Amino acid sequence: MDETKKGFIQLHLSVLLAGFTGLFGRLITLNEVDIVWYRMLFTTCILLVFTGLPRVGWRKLLQLSGCGALLGFHWILFYGSIKASNVSIGVVCFSLIGFFTALLEPLLFRKRFSWLELFLSLITVAGVMCIFSLDARYRLGISIGVVSSAVCALYAICNKKASVGVRSRTVLLYQMAGGLVVVSAIIPAYLACFPAQQAVVVVPEGTNLWLMLCHALFCTVGMYLLQIQALKRLSAFTVNLTYNLEPCYTIILAFIVFGESREINFSFYIGIGLILLSVLLQTLNAARQKRPHAKAA
């Protein structure tokens, strides 16, 4: 199978699994700090069982741990956005990741700006702006979600470079373990600035425990292994822009499970349409760019 096609299959499978993340964020009644801490802990334990402790250099370990810290901070803000608004608003803010990637990747790697990528990202921004007109009550959740998408874009950009030459499972293991350490250190500062709506739980029990385990196994281990493999075959911008489909999956689930369609107006659907358009155009553009190389081979 062509490497690009394989990358797109892995990417869309990971996006499908990601679609359940917002749903878990609402179903689990813990606060955002508890969810992130236990998600990283359970994921680390699961990976340790299957991978052991592969040896990597100290420099690579620090790079992977730094990526894990960015991912953990993104998760805290992502769940905080959902708790402050609703599932639909929280995941739609995630759509801005392509816009932030188009801005940050050239700055960090001293590459030329792609006007096409910026144009496709602006289509997404227009879609998000349509959705933002939903209700002024959700401004706090929207603000947190925008910062969350910027942090996630930075994670994906750094992760593409840090994961070079390392097996996907090893990458994820040290990101989760390193991220767990850093997140544990920043939790007190975060709670001081943004007091949690729910009480901090030392050990999850009952339904929360089982939901957290499923969340770690499917929406973390499975999703991020597929994402890391896709990043080795596709650009960070393509991966991040395709993740704009995540809100569509999650919103459909939220409509079915939580009845959030009652809170949605017509501009919301216009915004989702624009987001889907940006993903379709980028997918076609990526396929067009790869076609000449395939013929030459």
Side-chain angles (χ1 to χ4, degrees):
M1 182 185 293
D2 178 75
E3 288 296 303
T4 302
K5 290 182 179 178
K6 188 175 182 180
F8 272 112
I9 291 172
Q10 292 168 332
L11 174 58
H12 283 281
L13 284 174
S14 70
V15 175
L16 180 61
L17 288 173
F20 288 89
T21 302
L23 202 66
F24 276 109
R26 177 76 177 270
L27 290 172
I28 298 170
T29 58
L30 307 177
N31 64 60
E32 62 268 29
V33 169
D34 282 328
I35 293 176
V36 173
W37 197 86
Y38 278 105
R39 184 180 184 183
M40 287 190 145
L41 175 65
F42 290 159
T43 301
T44 301
C45 293
I46 291 170
L47 288 167
L48 279 172
V49 171
F50 292 103
T51 65
L53 279 173
R55 298 180 64 179
V56 296
W58 280 105
R59 184 175 181 179
K60 182 65 70 173
L61 179 62
L62 290 174
Q63 290 176 343
L64 294 175
S65 297
C67 289
L70 287 172
L71 181 60
F73 189 46
H74 154 66
W75 281 347
I76 290 175
L77 295 171
F78 174 72
Y79 293 121
S81 176
I82 290 176
K83 301 292 185 182
S85 52
N86 59 35
V87 176
S88 300
I89 294 297
V91 297
V92 163
C93 292
F94 187 74
S95 301
L96 289 170
I97 187 174
F99 172 71
F100 286 115
T101 304
L103 291 178
L104 294 174
E105 191 171 22
L107 291 174
L108 292 175
F109 293 146
R110 297 182 180 179
K111 295 167 52 179
R112 293 180 61 184
F113 281 93
S114 169
W115 294 108
L116 178 59
E117 290 183 358
L118 285 172
F119 171 72
L120 293 173
S121 301
L122 288 174
I123 295 176
T124 301
V125 172
V128 174
M129 288 179 67
C130 287
I131 294 167
F132 280 4
S133 66
L134 179 65
D135 198 319
R137 293 175 300 169
Y138 300 132
R139 284 178 181 171
L140 176 60
I142 289 169
S143 300
I144 298 173
V146 169
V147 178
S148 171
S149 66
V151 175
C152 190
L154 185 58
Y155 158 74
I157 294 168
C158 295
N159 186 40
K160 183 174 178 64
K161 184 175 181 180
S163 62
V164 173
V166 185
R167 293 182 64 187
S168 300
R169 287 180 294 179
T170 304
V171 169
L172 190 57
L173 170 64
Y174 288 118
Q175 284 185 357
M176 292 296 106
L180 180 64
V181 173
V182 176
V183 165
S184 299
I186 67 174
I187 281 176
Y190 176 84
L191 289 176
C193 297
F194 305 100
Q197 297 179 5
Q198 295 97 348
V200 176
V201 176
V202 177
V203 179
E205 299 177 344
T207 304
N208 279 330
L209 177 60
W210 291 110
L211 287 172
M212 284 300 310
L213 287 171
C214 290
H215 193 24
L217 181 60
F218 297 108
C219 296
T220 309
V221 176
M223 181 187 77
Y224 280 98
L225 285 179
L226 288 167
Q227 184 191 106
I228 291 168
Q229 290 168 359
L231 274 168
K232 293 180 179 180
R233 297 178 171 90
L234 304 169
S235 71
F237 176 78
T238 298
V239 171
N240 285 347
L241 190 66
T242 304
Y243 260 81
N244 291 343
L245 288 172
E246 178 187 341
C248 301
Y249 295 129
T250 307
I251 288 167
I252 292 171
L253 291 169
F255 283 3
I256 296 171
V257 178
F258 303 120
E260 289 189 1
S261 58
R262 295 185 299 243
E263 305 173 28
I264 303 304
N265 58 24
F266 184 67
S267 65
F268 185 92
Y269 295 103
I270 295 176
I272 289 296
L274 289 171
I275 291 170
L276 287 171
L277 176 63
S278 71
V279 174
L280 175 62
L281 291 175
Q282 172 57 19
T283 302
L284 293 174
N285 178 59
R288 181 181 60 81
Q289 289 179 341
K290 293 292 182 180
R291 197 173 297 129
H293 298 287
K295 289 181 179 179

